Amino acid sequence: MKKIGILTGGGDCPGLNAVIRGVVKGAIINRGWQVVGIEDGFDGLLDQKKVRSLTLEDVRGILPRGGTILGTSNRGNPFSYPVEKNGRVELVDISDRVVANIKQMGIEALVVIGGDGSLKIALELQEKGIPIVGVPKTIDNDLMETDVTFGYNTALETATDALDKLHSTAESHHRVMIMEVMGRYAGWIALESGIAGGADVILIPEIPFDMKRICEGVVARRSRGSRFSIIVAAEGAFSAGGARVVKNKAEETHSLERLGGIGEFVAREITSCLDMDVRVMVLGHLQRGGSPSTFDRCLGSRFGIKAIELIEQGEYGKMVCLKGREIKSVPIAQAVKKMKLVDPGGEMVRTAEELGINLGR
Ligand code: F6P
């Protein structure tokens, strides 16, 4: 009987439980394998008390639930682990301890569900001899080699729904409403929800914006009789010649920099060039919560089963992925080489501009 481990790393997103359920069912029902769940991402591999058996009973009823029954963490990279020494935080490599723990627990293969950060760690563990299969997760949709990551579709639905709701209040008060969305360095959520939600301006990191162009756009709309405007700003967007707006630098978090504040930045700039009432709404972590959409439940389940098939075939170091309508696999190394960003000259951007949406350029 094979014993496999599963963990969820990085920020949570809708559909994680669908993948966990798929892996557990795929392992147990037809193969009779044993599955153990590792709590709180890679942190759980430091402490054997954080590893527990997962049965069919444990995954009953979790398909519609947001979050992850295993817990997660976007800190705790074992290759660069923050340890306090003499009142200062130092980053140390504790990966040997993790590898020893995995071997001691008899885990023969590890399913890592994560975004680029977690999959890079997974790849390093694979290089240290741990058989790994990756599953691409993130609301940001910024992973290469898969048409889409699970979680993205639900986040988009949340953002589009918020835009629909903002429209009525913006129109009633004749205001400029700015909605700041997540996505890190990629503009996928902003661009697609902006198109679907009928935004007037969309700001994405891939197209540094010019404030003058945005103000001209809002004024032109007003002169056509539309006394309100809706702006969607990706958290990673920045003005041409300017810098990204961050809440915490990477040195402060000992992990990734925290983006946030572009909505307020744009609001200040608009107020200085227009005499209109401006309000900012930061959609924030709502985008990561809630029940997964039908699409994400199905994609997550398909990814989970594919992960089991890869383990059965001994295809390690691979990430499951969606290509067209089919589930396939690619080397993890290929998927984490670079980020999948919006093409500023691509069809989606062209569509937005043809629809009259101002992209600040
Ligand atoms: O990567 C997912 C994501 O939600 C990003 O869009 C966002 O920048 C970040 O995580 C927020 O992370 P945290 O949960 O640490 O605030």
Side-chain angles (χ1 to χ4, degrees):
M1 184 168 84
K2 219 184 229 322
K3 181 174 178 182
I4 65 166
I6 178 169
L7 67 81
T8 52
D12 69 341
C13 85
L16 282 166
N17 287 328
V19 182
I20 296 171
R21 177 177 172 272
V23 166
V24 170
K25 286 198 162 208
I28 297 176
I29 294 175
N30 285 329
R31 295 171 179 85
W33 298 351
Q34 192 190 347
V35 187
V36 291
I38 295 135
E39 291 172 8
D40 302 339
F42 292 99
D43 268 358
L45 290 170
L46 294 171
D47 179 356
Q48 295 191 18
K49 284 199 231 73
K50 288 184 127 189
V51 178
R52 59 181 153 102
S53 166
L54 284 181
T55 63
L56 292 177
E57 186 65 32
D58 292 312
V59 297
R60 184 167 300 150
I62 68 171
L63 192 54
R65 273 170 59 186
T68 159
I69 59 162
L70 292 175
T72 187
S73 165
N74 49 11
R75 284 144 198 266
N77 175 353
F79 294 90
S80 180
Y81 197 81
V83 174
E84 206 175 311
K85 275 189 192 161
N86 310 323
R88 284 190 47 213
V89 176
E90 274 180 33
L91 298 175
V92 293
D93 182 351
I94 54 162
S95 57
D96 284 344
R97 213 170 108 199
V98 164
V99 169
N101 265 342
I102 295 174
K103 290 193 173 150
Q104 207 180 22
M105 288 185 282
I107 296 174
E108 294 160 72
L110 188 62
V111 178
V112 174
I113 313 174
D116 64 334
S118 303
L119 292 177
K120 276 179 191 154
I121 297 170
L123 192 62
E124 286 188 79
L125 286 177
Q126 162 91 22
E127 279 155 13
K128 291 192 98 157
I130 303 297
I132 302 267
V133 168
V135 180
K137 162 242 66 160
T138 168
I139 63 160
D140 303 336
N141 196 32
D142 57 356
L143 262 169
M144 290 294 285
E145 298 297 335
T146 184
D147 289 357
V148 73
T149 52
F150 76 87
Y152 173 64
N153 180 266
T154 310
L156 261 190
E157 291 293 327
T158 301
T160 304
D161 182 48
L163 281 175
D164 287 347
K165 289 178 174 152
L166 280 181
H167 255 94
S168 56
T169 172
E171 188 168 13
S172 306
H173 286 267
H174 320 299
R175 281 174 171 157
V176 176
M177 276 283 179
I178 303 172
M179 181 168 94
E180 178 176 317
V181 295
M182 285 185 168
R184 214 171 266 291
Y185 307 117
W188 296 108
I189 299 180
L191 183 58
E192 281 207 66
S193 71
I195 291 174
D200 306 299
V201 180
I202 302 176
L203 307 176
I204 58 173
E206 295 85 347
I207 303 179
F209 60 83
D210 177 351
M211 254 345 280
K212 209 165 133 260
R213 289 282 303 114
I214 299 172
C215 289
E216 281 166 9
V218 174
V219 169
R221 252 179 77 74
R222 205 168 45 177
S223 64
R224 289 195 301 269
S226 297
R227 295 165 64 200
F228 74 98
S229 282
I230 302 278
I231 301 180
V232 183
E235 61 181 359
F238 55 96
S239 64
R244 270 187 231 284
V245 187
V246 298
K247 275 201 181 334
N248 296 106
K249 294 192 175 137
E251 304 89 82
E252 290 160 11
T253 63
H254 305 296
S255 173
L256 301 170
E257 68 180 0
R258 275 185 68 212
L259 300 173
I262 185 65
E264 286 295 345
F265 173 89
V266 172
R268 275 195 305 275
E269 297 288 313
I270 290 193
T271 316
S272 67
C273 70
L274 285 174
D275 60 342
M276 278 178 84
D277 225 6
V278 185
R279 293 290 186 273
V280 180
M281 204 276 285
V282 181
L283 195 53
H285 291 79
L286 277 183
Q287 292 157 97
R288 294 230 304 256
S291 184
S293 64
T294 307
F295 180 87
D296 280 333
R297 290 182 201 192
C298 191
L299 184 64
S301 302
R302 294 170 78 195
F303 277 172
I305 295 299
K306 181 70 177 180
I308 290 297
E309 288 172 358
L310 290 180
I311 293 174
E312 187 168 53
Q313 290 149 11
E315 298 248 357
Y316 296 120
K318 296 273 182 75
M319 179 189 87
V320 304
C321 60
L322 180 72
K323 300 260 185 196
R325 295 185 65 83
E326 280 180 54
I327 303 292
K328 305 247 182 199
S329 66
V330 285
I332 297 176
Q334 223 165 288
V336 298
K337 227 189 267 168
K338 58 177 184 164
M339 258 180 275
K340 181 176 74 186
L341 299 176
V342 173
D343 175 1
E347 177 274 330
M348 187 108 66
V349 165
R350 211 170 56 244
T351 297
E353 289 183 323
E354 292 277 0
L355 289 168
I357 300 172
N358 182 328
L359 295 184
R361 65 175 173 184

